[in-house]
Amino acid sequence: MKAIRLHIKQNSANYKKEETVDNRMTFPLPPYSTVIGALHKACGYTSYHPMQVSVQGKYGSLKTKMYKDDCFLNRVEDDRNILVKMKNPDMLSSAYQVVATAQNTQGNSFEKGITINVINEKLLEEYRFLKRTKRRIDKHKKIINKMKTRLKEMKADENISAEEVKEFDKRIKHIKAVYDEYEKVKYTVPYSHFRTLAKGPKYYEILCDIELVIHIVTDDNTMNDIMDNIGNLTAIGRGEDFVEVLECAQTELTEVDEDVDYEKNDFDVYMPVEYYEENQSDMDIISKTDGGYAGGTKYFMPKDYVVEQIKGGMRKRVFNRVPVIFCQINYLDSGCKGIMLDKSENGIYTVLLA
């Protein structure tokens, strides 16, 4: 079986666990999805090219750093944080203007001017005008509620014809449509330009002195594209997690046709659970972490995804996740099923494709 072997070094990286927020924890090795995404970017692909990936490696140390986080809330809070106006409301970026800042954690009011520091008086007055506009619109829209109550009474009154009820219903819908359009133009759209910005300290984990060996199995055209564009592979993880590609070579994978003793190997590996369950009596694995699954730590590792439509015209990625054991392989018996070997000049690599 043909494959590509990548030997990579990184000074530092964060392979973020997506469920972590206040402390952006990292996986010990890059997830399959991170590797696949980096390769697709390097090749300039805009659609998914199926591939199988094996990831193994090591790192020297792990440390935690603090950073200042800018978080735009999905609503406008009148009594806390920082009131800003977006220069482009369709994008959350650094392109915003600070309107005012709250002095206390809560109990402030941008609209009423309670315990705030005004940065831009003109924009603050625009914000207050929009709040007053909303109250006026809501007051006038109460007319529609009264008309709906009257409509129910008309439907229950046998002396009122169905045609008259129908005309009154059309009138209500017309008035509501006029109010809705007015509200959209005069309030909803301009008010959406304002956001609440929350700033605060957060943390992220950084792996240092990383060495990776990655194997990729895919079709011939994609393999050729990866080989031709390996110079475009600049980072794995965050954009600033730069890589040094020590080797990019085609290799031939073989089955486990001999006993393999990894006495001097210090690489950890992501082993899909299916390989362990199939061969657990023919291998010995160890882990640097206590507890976990079968001597290693179990992760549901993201690989590829599909895009699903959700409410409000939004879309989300739904990942295909592979259960893996993060461990170190100590010994393999000849005849292990599904596991492949890459016999290189630097030693024998175990290839566990997912």
Side-chain angles (χ1 to χ4, degrees):
M1 180 187 295
K2 289 194 301 183
I4 293 176
R5 178 178 66 245
L6 296 179
H7 189 186
I8 291 171
K9 280 193 174 182
Q10 292 181 276
N11 288 332
S12 61
N14 174 280
Y15 312 123
K16 184 188 174 186
K17 295 181 180 179
E18 62 269 30
E19 70 273 12
T20 60
V21 180
D22 290 335
N23 181 20
R24 295 186 176 182
M25 300 174 69
T26 179
F27 286 108
L29 298 173
Y32 301 129
S33 58
T34 301
V35 174
I36 292 172
L39 293 173
H40 277 58
K41 182 179 180 181
C43 294
Y45 292 150
T46 56
S47 59
Y48 178 57
H49 288 236
M51 58 182 66
Q52 292 179 290
V53 180
S54 173
V55 180
Q56 57 190 298
K58 62 180 180 179
Y59 62 89
S61 62
L62 182 148
K63 59 184 179 181
T64 301
K65 282 190 174 183
M66 185 177 72
Y67 70 101
K68 184 180 71 174
D69 179 64
D70 289 354
C71 177
F72 292 95
L73 305 186
N74 59 2
R75 62 195 183 279
V76 177
E77 299 281 4
D78 183 64
D79 66 338
R80 66 196 69 186
N81 295 310
I82 303 171
L83 179 65
V84 300
K85 183 178 181 182
M86 309 302 297
K87 293 186 177 181
N88 186 344
D90 296 325
M91 297 178 63
L92 295 181
S93 67
S94 59
Y96 61 82
Q97 294 174 281
V98 178
V99 179
T101 62
Q103 295 179 1
N104 303 322
T105 56
Q106 56 185 348
N108 318 279
S109 176
F110 295 114
E111 183 180 4
K112 297 176 182 179
I114 300 174
T115 57
I116 64 171
N117 296 321
V118 179
I119 308 299
N120 191 314
E121 185 69 44
K122 183 178 178 181
L123 293 181
L124 182 60
E125 185 52 42
E126 179 184 344
Y127 167 79
R128 290 168 174 170
F129 174 77
L130 290 171
K131 298 286 282 186
R132 293 194 298 268
T133 300
K134 174 62 174 173
R135 286 196 294 270
R136 288 198 300 269
I137 293 172
D138 290 343
K139 181 178 179 181
H140 287 292
K141 287 178 75 171
K142 290 180 180 179
I143 298 173
I144 298 175
N145 295 331
K146 293 180 180 179
M147 294 179 71
K148 288 182 177 180
T149 301
R150 173 58 184 157
L151 180 63
K152 290 181 181 179
E153 295 173 352
M154 291 175 66
K155 289 180 178 179
D157 193 340
E158 297 179 354
N159 297 322
I160 300 176
S161 66
E163 187 65 28
E164 188 175 352
V165 171
K166 184 178 179 181
E167 286 298 321
F168 192 72
D169 188 28
K170 287 175 60 177
R171 183 183 171 193
I172 293 175
K173 291 179 180 178
H174 173 71
I175 294 174
K176 183 179 184 304
V178 171
Y179 275 131
D180 288 345
E181 181 63 23
Y182 182 84
E183 181 177 14
K184 177 182 177 182
V185 174
K186 295 296 184 179
Y187 172 75
T188 305
V189 172
Y191 190 71
S192 69
H193 294 203
F194 289 90
R195 293 283 196 279
T196 293
L197 173 63
K199 292 177 178 282
K202 289 190 177 181
Y203 303 87
Y204 59 90
E205 294 179 342
I206 295 292
L207 300 174
C208 300
D209 300 324
I210 305 159
E211 185 177 356
L212 301 173
V213 174
I214 299 170
H215 289 84
I216 305 107
V217 173
T218 182
D219 61 84
D220 290 341
N221 291 333
T222 304
M223 289 179 69
N224 290 334
D225 285 343
I226 294 173
M227 296 287 291
D228 293 340
N229 293 280
I230 196 62
N232 297 328
L233 182 64
T234 57
I236 296 179
R238 305 168 300 168
E240 62 267 37
D241 295 335
F242 301 115
V243 303
E244 178 187 1
V245 180
L246 303 178
E247 180 187 29
C248 176
Q250 284 197 356
T251 185
E252 191 71 27
L253 304 182
T254 61
E255 295 181 349
V256 185
D257 53 3
E258 59 178 306
D259 294 346
V260 184
D261 188 348
Y262 293 97
E263 182 180 352
K264 297 181 180 179
N265 180 35
D266 57 354
F267 275 8
D268 296 304
V269 64
Y270 287 146
M271 176 187 291
V273 169
E274 60 183 288
Y275 290 120
Y276 177 79
E277 293 178 343
E278 184 76 16
N279 302 287
Q280 55 182 310
S281 60
D282 299 319
M283 65 168 62
D284 179 33
I285 64 174
I286 56 177
S287 173
K288 296 178 181 178
T289 57
D290 294 329
Y293 180 89
T297 304
K298 189 175 181 182
Y299 296 109
F300 283 95
M301 196 61 60
K303 183 187 175 185
D304 49 20
Y305 65 87
V306 295
V307 178
E308 289 188 357
Q309 199 78 22
I310 58 177
K311 292 182 179 179
M314 304 293 287
R315 297 181 301 170
K316 70 173 181 178
R317 296 175 178 179
V318 179
F319 277 91
N320 167 38
R321 296 182 179 273
V322 180
V324 303
I325 307 169
F326 173 66
C327 62
Q328 195 173 107
I329 298 177
N330 194 38
Y331 185 85
L332 288 178
D333 280 339
S334 173
C336 284
K337 299 177 182 178
I339 299 174
M340 307 297 289
L341 299 178
D342 176 15
K343 301 177 181 179
S344 72
E345 296 178 356
N346 296 323
I348 300 177
Y349 295 111
T350 306
V351 181
L352 302 160
L353 297 168

